[in-house]
Amino acid sequence: MTEAILLVGGKGTRLRPLTVHTPKPMVPAAGVPFLTHQLARAKAAGVDHIVLATSYLAEVFEPHFGDGSALGLHIEYVTEEEPLGTGGAIRNVASRLHSGPDDPVLIFNGDILTGLDIRALVHTHESTGADVSLHLTKVTDPRAYGLVPTDGTGRVLAFLEKPQTPEEIVTDQINAGAYVFRRSVIDTIPVGRAVSVERETFPELLSAGAHLQGMVDSTYWLDLGTPAAFVRGSADLVLGRAPSPAVPGRRGDRLVLPTATVAPDAKLTGGTVVGEGAFVAEGALVFGSTILPGAVIEPGAVVTDSLVGTRARVGERSVLTGAFIGDGAIVGADNELRDGVRVWCDACIPAGAVRFSSDQ
């Protein structure tokens, strides 16, 4: 296997305001755009040609990655004029593939952080003679996902979208967002319209008698679709819980990029990342958080499990817990923000304006 398609066209609406100015795969995780980790893992698995299926803010990808040579890859870009869904996006880039009809093509969703053994998935695909092979993972609560029951040999029996009743939950195996397609199967996807592989392509292949194979790999897996999950994923990359050859530094409690400044008595723990040109002032405490380039954390601020956007500012003694601050926003001194609050880009919260406790 030498080719892969990465689906990076989504708007990332669940991640806003992180994605107001930046497409989801380009939001920094552990110091580099998240897509960098996926590209590096594909390269490590033997892929050398990758097609990026882009749409939302498509113009930002190529200036950053170029032709891919810096990563040892050949990268091409295909932009959808209008959203085509997962299946439509795959079909839309098919003309850029060089594989023969029976060759395997790896396909990744652009928002999954995983420790998947990519080579093992390809081996499963080839050894079973499957038309499509799917990475499956087990979850405790599968109601938010598509269930994929399999028989004793791993052959897929059905696709069950987001079950709600106990009777509908027939397995804890879910579609984990990575596939190997036989190249000829990609050509059967309809051209020029929106197609969902999960709701249309896979069920139709199954009903037509195609061989769909599941491989359960229960190593690290995280859907980065929400701000809280994204921050957690970044911290897990820094801590070494999630594997990636692209983390720009040693694994540990913190990752401080070269041009960032951190006061000697500031405390950074829990997989915190401080981006290029950011500043963390004296007495600040930052745990498990992502501080994006150019952001400022003022003296005495406490930031936990949060993301502070590019060039944003957190004022003195402010306390952020599970808060997500958009690019350029200002949180004045002595505020308390928590429990998933999202401050939009360039917004300004005056000093002491938001509290969950007394100001005394």
Side-chain angles (χ1 to χ4, degrees):
M1 181 196 61
T2 60
E3 292 196 293
I5 298 169
L6 263 64
L7 304 176
V8 294
K11 291 185 176 180
T13 52
R14 291 187 297 156
L15 271 178
R16 288 168 70 87
L18 281 62
T19 52
V20 170
H21 300 132
T22 307
K24 177 168 49 177
M26 297 298 288
V27 177
V32 296
F34 173 67
L35 179 57
T36 309
H37 300 290
Q38 290 188 307
L39 293 171
R41 294 204 70 239
K43 166 65 177 173
V47 174
D48 60 20
H49 177 221
I50 294 182
V51 185
L52 298 187
T54 67
S55 180
Y56 177 65
L57 296 176
E59 65 277 7
V60 309
F61 292 94
E62 190 166 3
H64 185 88
F65 292 108
D67 64 2
S69 56
L71 294 171
L73 294 165
H74 171 49
I75 298 178
E76 294 188 67
Y77 306 83
V78 177
T79 301
E80 299 169 17
E81 298 305 320
E82 53 187 61
L84 294 172
T86 48
I90 293 167
R91 183 65 180 88
N92 192 50
V93 306
S95 63
R96 302 296 184 93
L97 298 173
H98 310 312
S99 301
D102 290 328
D103 290 340
V105 177
L106 179 68
I107 298 172
F108 270 130
N109 283 343
D111 53 2
I112 301 297
L113 177 60
T114 176
L116 168 68
D117 185 335
I118 297 170
R119 291 183 186 273
L121 181 63
V122 176
H123 175 73
T124 296
H125 177 80
E126 294 181 325
S127 64
T128 59
D131 296 299
V132 179
S133 297
L134 299 87
H135 171 208
L136 308 180
T137 193
K138 295 177 180 288
V139 296
T140 304
D141 182 0
R143 288 175 297 177
Y145 304 99
L147 303 192
V148 187
T150 54
D151 67 15
T153 68
R155 189 158 183 158
V156 173
L157 299 174
F159 291 91
L160 309 172
E161 278 299 311
K162 297 183 180 179
Q164 297 305 309
T165 66
E167 294 74 24
E168 292 177 302
I169 302 174
V170 297
T171 180
D172 58 357
Q173 297 175 177
I174 67 164
N175 177 355
Y179 320 113
V180 179
F181 273 65
R182 186 190 303 272
R183 170 68 180 85
S184 58
V185 174
I186 293 175
D187 293 330
T188 68
I189 300 173
V191 179
R193 68 170 176 86
V195 180
S196 165
V197 289
E198 300 86 356
R199 293 178 176 83
E200 183 175 342
T201 304
F202 292 158
E204 288 183 359
L205 285 169
L206 205 58
S207 64
H211 180 175
L212 277 69
Q213 186 74 19
M215 188 192 83
V216 177
D217 182 310
S218 295
T219 54
Y220 186 96
W221 183 87
L222 187 64
D223 176 354
L224 301 186
T226 66
F230 198 95
V231 170
R232 178 182 152 201
S234 178
D236 284 348
L237 283 161
V238 174
L239 292 166
R241 294 172 180 164
S244 171
V247 176
R250 294 169 53 190
R251 286 2 180 236
D253 250 6
R254 56 190 245 170
L255 175 65
V256 179
L257 275 290
T259 60
T261 303
V262 177
D265 66 342
K267 186 174 183 181
L268 311 178
T269 60
T272 287
V273 182
V274 182
E276 298 277 359
F279 175 66
V280 180
E282 59 271 14
L285 304 177
V286 188
F287 178 86
S289 296
T290 297
I291 312 302
L292 291 187
V296 174
I297 310 299
E298 294 187 358
V302 179
V303 181
T304 304
D305 298 335
S306 298
L307 182 141
V308 180
T310 302
R311 299 179 309 281
R313 179 178 291 266
V314 176
E316 295 183 54
R317 298 174 302 281
S318 281
V319 178
L320 275 58
T321 305
F324 310 102
I325 312 302
D327 296 342
I330 298 174
V331 177
D334 299 307
N335 281 290
E336 295 176 0
L337 305 178
R338 68 186 195 194
D339 299 337
V341 67
R342 307 184 191 206
V343 177
W344 234 248
C345 298
D346 301 314
C348 182
I349 298 178
V354 179
R355 306 284 306 180
F356 284 85
S357 64
S358 168
D359 63 345
Q360 299 297 315

